[in-house]
Amino acid sequence: CIHVSKLVIDSKKEKQPKRDRRMLCARLSCLQDDFVTDIESLHSNRYFFSDQFRMSLAHDVSSSRGGLGLPGTVASHIPIIVLQRLRINISEVCKEYRERVLQECKMTVNNTLRDFIDANNHPLLLTMLEKTTDDVFKKQNCVLENHHADIIEWENSTYSSNHYFMDTVQSIRRTIFDEESDKPSYLMGLNPTKIKSLSNDDQKLIDTQIEIFAYWKLMKKRFADNIIMSTYSVLVKKPIYTLLSKGMIGAVLRKNDKDVVSLFSPKGDVIQCKQRAAIKGLIIFL
């Protein structure tokens, strides 16, 4: 967690907008919750058991159905195609999350710099360090963008060794066929009597709906964790705890002696103000 206590600085400053004084980790936690909510809201549970989804799935199945296979057989590539469609907007959600984390981190570091370095007394030093900060975060954001692209590409492979998938499938089937159980609202349209009256093809269609729904639940949890963990590692932990300190020191050391003096010297009008105050004090003393 990063938290900087408010420092008392003698020089007068322009009134700044009210800052969020929560720790960075608290603000990032809120962004993580928002990101998970955004992933969840891409497709509600109800959508997977809606007439719209069933009709779309039925069209995919019928267009690829052949004469081979057991009654009600669904081609293995159909769920993969459907999952690809479900993921179509996922990169935009990641991009928005990445940009929001980037802004929070940059704002935290820049505010910290301004707390410790008086902009009136050392404007050149502050400007240089802010540019160093911007360069470091810009580079790390590019690295993270590539990481996120890899994670999104991983999900093109439909695979998991996690038992959560089949556990979810079996749980939904038990819920549907247990007439005394409390069904979630998205399963209210399914009951044993209705399912038994359907054809082989339509019953298999419901099985496929359940399996796609179960895999989507597993995938979005895994995906959200991977995105959040990679974001913290690349855009928060590494730049703030490792790269920035080295980058800032390096930026100063690359300057020659004359430039270093300029960086740490007060601005001209500040020097003149101090000189006038000193002369005034001397006159009073005399």
Side-chain angles (χ1 to χ4, degrees):
C1 293
I2 298 175
H3 179 70
V4 178
S5 299
K6 185 176 181 181
L7 300 181
V8 178
I9 300 176
D10 293 333
S11 60
K12 293 183 179 180
K13 292 187 176 182
E14 294 181 4
K15 190 174 182 180
Q16 299 291 330
K18 187 176 180 181
R19 279 167 52 179
D20 188 342
R21 292 289 176 178
R22 291 178 300 167
M23 292 183 178
L24 177 61
C25 55
R27 284 180 275 134
L28 293 181
S29 179
C30 290
L31 292 183
Q32 291 168 9
D33 291 342
D34 290 343
F35 172 66
V36 172
T37 299
D38 289 341
I39 293 293
E40 292 278 354
S41 64
L42 285 175
H43 307 289
S44 66
N45 292 344
R46 185 184 297 275
Y47 170 72
F48 288 89
F49 297 94
S50 65
D51 292 338
Q52 175 190 356
F53 184 76
R54 186 177 294 123
M55 290 173 62
S56 174
L57 182 58
H59 174 75
D60 290 330
V61 171
S62 63
S63 64
S64 62
R65 180 169 288 143
L68 299 177
L70 295 172
T73 298
V74 173
S76 59
H77 69 279
I78 295 299
I80 297 174
I81 292 174
V82 174
L83 286 164
Q84 286 175 345
R85 286 203 300 263
L86 293 173
R87 290 193 297 265
I88 196 168
N89 293 321
I90 214 164
S91 61
E92 287 300 316
V93 178
C94 290
K95 180 181 179 182
E96 182 180 352
Y97 170 64
R98 188 167 59 243
E99 290 177 348
R100 293 177 70 186
V101 172
L102 174 64
Q103 292 306 315
E104 287 292 342
C105 291
K106 286 175 62 176
M107 182 179 66
T108 297
V109 174
N110 285 332
N111 284 339
T112 302
L113 288 174
R114 289 180 174 273
D115 280 341
F116 282 96
I117 301 173
D118 193 314
N120 291 321
N121 286 336
H122 305 288
L124 295 178
L125 178 62
L126 182 60
T127 299
M128 185 195 71
L129 295 183
E130 285 180 336
K131 184 181 183 306
T132 301
T133 297
D134 188 65
D135 290 343
V136 167
F137 276 116
K138 188 179 295 183
K139 180 179 179 180
Q140 288 303 108
N141 192 48
C142 290
V143 172
L144 182 60
E145 187 175 354
N146 291 330
H147 280 209
H148 284 182
D150 287 340
I151 293 171
I152 292 172
E153 186 178 0
W154 295 346
E155 295 302 341
N156 288 331
S157 300
T158 308
Y159 169 79
S160 178
S161 60
N162 194 323
H163 294 172
Y164 181 77
F165 169 68
M166 282 309 300
D167 289 346
T168 303
V169 170
Q170 300 299 349
S171 174
I172 292 175
R173 286 174 176 164
R174 283 195 302 270
T175 301
I176 291 173
F177 284 92
D178 184 357
E179 296 182 343
E180 296 182 358
S181 67
D182 293 330
K183 291 183 175 62
S185 59
Y186 57 88
L187 293 179
M188 286 300 183
L190 297 175
N191 58 71
T193 303
K194 179 179 179 179
I195 291 176
K196 289 175 182 178
S197 67
L198 299 175
S199 66
N200 291 324
D201 290 345
D202 287 339
Q203 288 195 43
K204 182 58 182 177
L205 205 60
I206 291 175
D207 284 342
T208 306
Q209 281 180 265
I210 294 171
E211 290 166 3
I212 292 174
F213 169 73
Y215 188 83
W216 176 259
K217 285 193 71 175
L218 179 149
M219 189 219 78
K220 67 185 179 183
K221 291 178 182 295
R222 175 180 65 198
F223 179 79
D225 282 346
N226 284 334
I227 292 295
I228 289 171
M229 291 172 69
S230 64
T231 300
Y232 178 78
S233 175
V234 177
L235 204 54
V236 182
K237 185 177 179 180
K238 191 169 185 179
I240 290 179
Y241 292 104
T242 306
L243 298 177
L244 278 177
S245 57
K246 294 180 180 178
M248 290 178 179
I249 293 172
V252 174
L253 293 179
R254 283 193 294 271
K255 301 290 183 180
N256 57 41
D257 292 345
K258 183 178 179 181
D259 290 335
V260 170
V261 171
S262 298
L263 285 175
F264 288 91
S265 297
K267 200 165 57 172
D269 56 351
V270 175
I271 296 175
Q272 292 174 6
C273 182
K274 289 183 177 180
Q275 287 175 341
R276 286 195 297 270
I279 292 172
K280 183 178 179 181
L282 182 60
I283 292 173
I284 293 173
F285 176 77
L286 293 175

